[in-house]
Amino acid sequence: MTSMSWVVLGVFVLTYLGMAAGGVRGLRMDRSWIAGAAAVLLLFIGAQTPAEAASHLDAGALLLLLALMLVSAQFEFSGVYAWLNGRLESYATQPARLLAAVVVLGGVLSAVLVNDIVAFALTPLLCHSLLARGLDPRPFLLALALACNAGSAASLIGNPQNILIGQAGGLDFWGYTAIAAVPAIGALLITYLVILWQWRHRWGTAHSVTTEAAQPAQVYGARSYLKPAVATLVLLGLFASDLPREWSALMIAVLLMVSRRVASRDYVQAVDWNLLLLFAGLFVVTGAAMALPPVAGIAAQLADRGLLPQGVLSLAAASLVAGNLIGNVPFVMLLLGVLPEMSPSLLVGLAVMSTLAGNLLLIGSVVNLIVAESARRQGVRLGFVDFARSGVPVTLLSMSLAGGWLVLGGWLPW
């Protein structure tokens, strides 16, 4: 290899080591900054031309993610999240029913919206309401995080890695859901049962509060909720057509941004640009490394020898280890780079397994970190041990169920 090829390979390795570290020690620099800085470095030293870097970007995946974030923002601006939180309030005196409602709500919303946005919107509302009632928010926040991950496995728009997998493989939207819905629903049920068993006598007793104290955000009328609901139904219908998913989502997002109440800049500010930077940076760095002939040759040899994930067990093991080490988005991007010709069945298995594996540890998914950080700002500490105590059994049981389903259905071998 040339000296420049070694530099590209070195940047690639250091980038994924940064993904494993979660940032730069001693500095407030996260995974997104590392990926973006690495891409800029490759451009600066001439290892990649702007045209080459642009060729590595999956514009469809980036645009679809952007559009879905804008659609998700409409639910918050319309007061839908606050209204739903108000409905959860009615179960406060029956914590077991409240727990079930949180699991169902988090799971269903995350199947049709980006789960990061759902977790970001609902966590502070839940914390406010539960603290006002005198209930321990931790089991319900655990349920929210685990349910958001589990529910998002049911669709190709539920989380960032599934968006990437669906775009990369051209998977059929509803065909995927027909396979993934069973393990996703099973994971939601497992989440409820595990947390109920662990926390049933530890979440406290709810007491009554005034309506003003229980409601942390404005709730608008039913006409306001109609706009995001109709938009979501139309969007799901468009996903069944032959139109590119990113164009359908962008058109719905643009129409939603026509508003008398919400300024367009507020929609723009609701976008998680940090996540988009992570995607773009990893596209460039991974694409540059995989374009090197020696790296491509090594990847092909590993695939030929069966040393890369091909079945349920190897896919589950890789998802658990790599997903919780470098993050599920970087893991998926890396695997797509070394196995560019994955079969549709393997892509389905990757989407399901990489998503469910994110429930293992607090660091396994961006959703988990969003819930923990947002709860901390509300005065609630959701620690690593608290999360692992529920996350480990939920993940192992969920992935076992998913693996059995994929094998029995004939989609993947063991």
Side-chain angles (χ1 to χ4, degrees):
M1 291 196 301
T2 66
S3 58
M4 188 60 76
S5 297
W6 282 109
V7 170
V8 171
L9 187 59
V11 171
F12 169 77
V13 172
L14 288 175
T15 298
Y16 277 89
L17 287 176
M19 296 297 107
V24 179
R25 191 177 184 85
L27 299 174
R28 300 184 66 180
M29 297 172 179
D30 59 10
R31 287 170 172 159
S32 297
W33 181 92
I34 292 172
V40 171
L41 178 61
L42 291 179
L43 290 168
F44 180 76
I45 64 178
Q48 290 277 281
T49 66
E52 288 172 335
S55 69
H56 298 315
L57 297 175
D58 188 334
L62 290 170
L63 290 174
L64 179 57
L65 183 56
L66 170 63
L68 290 171
M69 288 177 180
L70 292 171
V71 173
S72 298
Q74 178 62 41
F75 279 75
E76 183 172 5
F77 294 144
S78 298
V80 172
Y81 290 129
W83 178 81
L84 289 171
N85 184 66
R87 304 287 68 77
L88 292 178
E89 274 284 303
S90 62
Y91 299 118
T93 56
Q94 299 172 290
R97 292 185 64 186
L98 175 59
L99 180 68
V102 170
V103 169
V104 172
L105 180 61
V108 171
L109 286 179
S110 295
V112 296
L113 302 171
V114 180
N115 62 353
D116 295 357
I117 306 297
V118 174
F120 184 80
L122 287 179
T123 299
L125 297 176
L126 266 179
C127 284
H128 179 95
S129 299
L130 293 170
L131 288 172
R133 289 278 188 175
L135 291 171
D136 187 342
R138 289 179 298 167
F140 305 97
L141 294 176
L142 284 168
L144 177 63
L146 298 174
C148 281
N149 285 320
S152 72
S155 83
L156 291 174
I157 59 171
N159 57 60
Q161 67 268 17
N162 280 17
I163 291 173
L164 177 60
I165 292 168
Q167 291 295 109
L171 299 180
D172 178 73
F173 183 83
W174 291 108
Y176 169 83
T177 297
I179 300 173
V182 170
I185 293 171
L188 290 174
L189 180 59
I190 289 169
T191 295
Y192 172 73
L193 293 175
V194 167
I195 296 179
L196 179 67
W197 174 61
Q198 293 179 339
W199 289 88
R200 186 171 195 125
H201 302 295
R202 299 172 53 207
W203 45 41
T205 302
H207 55 72
S208 61
V209 294
T210 62
T211 304
E212 292 77 10
Q215 186 54 258
Q218 184 174 359
V219 178
Y220 301 104
R223 290 178 60 185
S224 181
Y225 312 145
L226 192 61
K227 184 177 180 180
V230 171
T232 302
L233 290 175
V234 172
L235 184 59
L236 293 175
L238 288 173
F239 284 161
S241 70
D242 294 329
L243 292 172
R245 283 197 282 270
E246 61 271 25
W247 299 132
S248 299
L250 279 171
M251 179 53 65
I252 296 297
V254 168
L255 292 175
L256 285 175
M257 291 174 69
V258 179
S259 173
R260 290 180 296 177
R261 178 189 298 151
V262 183
S264 56
R265 64 177 175 273
D266 292 335
Y267 283 95
V268 175
Q269 291 170 355
V271 172
D272 188 348
W273 296 105
N274 214 41
L275 182 58
L276 290 174
L277 175 62
L278 174 66
F279 260 60
L282 288 177
F283 274 135
V284 173
V285 173
T286 305
M290 295 306 155
L292 299 175
V295 175
I298 292 173
Q301 290 179 13
L302 290 174
D304 291 340
R305 296 177 182 178
L307 298 178
L308 294 176
Q310 298 290 340
V312 164
L313 295 179
S314 58
L315 196 57
S319 297
L320 282 171
V321 175
N324 285 276
L325 182 64
I326 63 176
N328 43 25
V329 170
F331 162 62
V332 165
M333 203 167 290
L334 179 60
L335 195 57
L336 289 175
V338 298
L339 277 175
E341 302 299 326
M342 274 196 273
S343 67
S345 295
L346 189 57
L347 287 169
V348 170
L350 175 61
V352 172
M353 290 299 190
S354 65
T355 299
L356 296 180
N359 273 337
L360 186 73
L361 301 173
L362 185 61
I363 59 173
S365 160
V366 174
V367 164
N368 305 343
L369 297 174
I370 287 174
V371 171
E373 179 59 23
S374 184
R376 184 188 63 79
R377 290 195 292 266
Q378 303 295 320
V380 179
R381 185 182 182 277
L382 187 62
F384 187 90
V385 174
D386 282 332
F387 194 96
R389 185 169 176 269
S390 298
V392 170
V394 166
T395 302
L396 296 181
L397 290 171
S398 299
M399 294 184 74
S400 298
L401 173 65
W405 171 253
L406 292 172
V407 171
L408 288 175
W411 294 292
L412 284 178
W414 280 112

